[in-house]
């Protein structure tokens, strides 16, 4: 495991709320606000966080990508973080289409809808691929970080890694899943063993990562509805999701990254590389599911070079 390093997260140059379907989507901009102008030398980067329903905080190390003069936009997807929470919403309302529409509302509000880079981490990469397939307008490049091309592949990888956990940890996970007691502290402790191996190997986790996990615990509405109670007990509305057969329809320059110890094993992201024309990949040797946290300097170098190539 890696040790926690103290990292300074820069203050935003702008924050605000985008009106969306009668609610509010919160955003922050890092970097010079003028970098949002259509004629800025560097196209702005929009970051899609994971979950679904895990607030943006854990991706804040990506603000380092503003170091070359570009604006970096983070926002909390509806239902989490500083955006409107809807714990009593109809479960059927949480759809991929909702979040595609929200992304477009954010970029249009900021005036960057005609030119921006799109980066998605975990669920955010799944969403980013759907954005490109729905309407590629304005997307200068696509970065898919630690994401599966289908939930079936994700579950296959999760089962492989779960079988490598200590027997007592496996037994605790199974016992609570069968009993429907996945809110038990024992289940959470067993999950933490998996997280320390395959989600974030910087232990203890940095404050921004802990903030996202705390937010998820406080309001798991979106995550439980679309995913389920844990990374490998996927019983939500995304359980049959796949983009594999549609990937040739993505034509934007694409970079796919992951960690060598990632819960997103190569089988889950290889279809992006194989099926998106010209896509390329990079694996971070010391990372699991959060290379931007676990190897931040190297992540910034690799992704930053790709973005500059396609400004």
């Amino acid at each position: 495991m890696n040790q926690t390093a103290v990292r300074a997260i820069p203050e935003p140059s702008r924050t605000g709320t985008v009106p969306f379907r009668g609610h509010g989507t919160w955003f922050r901009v890092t970097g010079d606000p003028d970098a949002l102008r259509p004629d800025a030398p560097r196209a702005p980067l929009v970051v899609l966080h994971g979950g679904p329903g895990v607030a943006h905080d854990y991706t804040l190390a990506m603000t380092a990508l503003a170091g070359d003069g570009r604006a970096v936009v983070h926002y909390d997807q509806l239902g989490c973080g500083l955006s409107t929470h809807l714990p009593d919403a109809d479960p059927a309302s949480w759809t991929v289409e909702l979040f595609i529409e929200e992304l477009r509302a954010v970029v249009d509000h900021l005036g960057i809808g005609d030119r921006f880079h799109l980066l998605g981490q975990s669920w955010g990469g799944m969403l980013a691929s759907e954005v490109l397939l729905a309407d590629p307008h304005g997307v200068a490049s696509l970065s898919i970080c630690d994401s599966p091309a289908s939930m079936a592949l994700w579950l296959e990888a999760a089962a492989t890694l779960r079988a490598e956990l200590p027997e007592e940890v496996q037994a605790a996970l199974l016992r609570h899943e069968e009993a429907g007691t996945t809110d038990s502290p024992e289940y959470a402790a067993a999950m933490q063993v998996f997280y320390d191996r395959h989600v974030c190997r910087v232990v203890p986790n940095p404050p921004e990562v802990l903030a996202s996990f705390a937010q998820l615990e406080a309001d798991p509405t979106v995550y439980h509805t679309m995913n389920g109670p844990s990374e490998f007990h996927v019983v939500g509305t995304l359980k049959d999701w796949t983009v594999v057969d549609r990937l040739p329809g993505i034509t934007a320059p694409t970079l796919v990254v992951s960690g060598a110890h990632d819960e997103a094993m190569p089988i889950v992201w290889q279809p992006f590389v194989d099926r998106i024309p010209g896509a390329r990949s990079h694996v971070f040797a010391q990372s699991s599911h959060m290379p931007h946290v676990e190897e931040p300097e190297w992540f910034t170098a690799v992704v930053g070079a790709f973005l500059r190539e396609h400004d």
Side-chain angles (χ1 to χ4, degrees):
M1 303 298 174
N2 301 321
Q3 296 298 311
T4 299
V6 177
R7 303 181 185 91
I9 304 296
E11 291 297 316
S13 56
R14 177 182 173 187
T15 62
T17 302
V18 179
F20 178 63
R21 292 194 177 186
H23 307 297
T25 297
W26 178 90
F27 70 88
R28 64 168 275 162
V29 179
T30 304
D32 187 343
D34 284 344
L36 294 174
R37 293 169 56 94
D39 59 351
R42 303 291 186 200
L45 172 68
V46 179
V47 177
L48 300 177
H49 65 68
V54 178
H56 79 284
D57 306 70
Y58 80 97
T59 64
L60 281 172
M62 296 182 190
T63 54
L65 291 164
D68 63 3
R70 81 177 70 253
V72 176
V73 178
H74 285 81
Y75 72 93
D76 283 327
Q77 295 160 26
L78 194 66
C80 75
L82 297 172
S83 294
T84 304
H85 287 233
L86 298 166
D88 299 320
D90 181 351
S93 67
W94 299 111
T95 64
V96 170
E97 291 72 24
L98 168 77
F99 294 111
I100 292 174
E101 182 183 340
E102 182 183 36
L103 176 277
R104 287 296 175 183
V106 170
V107 297
D108 288 347
H109 179 87
L110 293 172
I112 61 174
D114 291 334
R115 178 175 175 255
F116 64 99
H117 297 286
L118 188 61
L119 182 155
Q121 198 280 332
S122 197
W123 144 254
M126 299 160 62
L127 175 59
S129 67
E130 293 280 13
V131 168
L132 268 292
L133 289 166
D135 179 6
H137 175 75
V139 181
S141 77
L142 171 63
S143 297
I144 297 174
C145 305
D146 322 285
S147 306
S150 82
M151 291 308 285
L153 292 171
W154 178 265
L155 288 171
E156 182 181 343
T160 298
L161 297 174
R162 178 167 169 157
E164 297 173 358
L165 295 173
E167 289 187 6
E168 64 274 16
V169 174
Q170 295 184 53
L173 292 169
L174 182 60
R175 180 166 62 252
H176 288 289
E177 288 166 359
E178 290 181 339
T181 53
T182 53
D183 57 351
S184 162
E186 185 184 33
Y187 188 80
M191 278 295 303
Q192 193 62 49
V193 176
F194 181 86
Y195 273 56
D196 289 348
R197 291 185 178 197
H198 302 298
V199 178
C200 184
R201 292 168 69 86
V202 177
V203 179
N205 296 160
E208 68 274 15
V209 175
L210 293 175
S212 284
F213 286 149
Q215 187 279 151
L216 175 61
E217 183 177 0
D219 185 358
T221 301
V222 182
Y223 184 76
H224 283 180
T225 300
M226 298 186 74
N227 183 84
S230 74
E231 298 296 281
F232 33 67
H233 194 48
V234 179
V235 293
T237 56
L238 287 174
K239 65 181 183 298
D240 297 320
W241 178 86
T242 180
V243 75
V244 172
D245 291 341
R246 294 178 284 145
L247 290 174
I250 295 176
T251 57
T254 300
L255 173 67
V256 181
V257 306
S258 72
H261 306 280
D262 206 327
E263 60 180 333
M265 295 175 68
I267 60 168
V268 314
W269 51 260
Q270 192 62 46
F272 291 123
V273 180
D274 292 342
R275 292 173 175 259
I276 297 176
R280 59 187 195 245
S281 63
H282 182 91
V283 176
F284 294 94
Q286 304 302 318
S287 295
S288 58
H289 198 51
M290 298 186 187
H292 59 282
V293 171
E294 297 160 290
E295 296 180 74
E297 293 82 9
W298 192 224
F299 179 90
T300 300
V302 170
V303 177
F306 174 72
L307 298 178
R308 287 189 293 275
E309 182 180 342
H310 298 289
D311 277 323

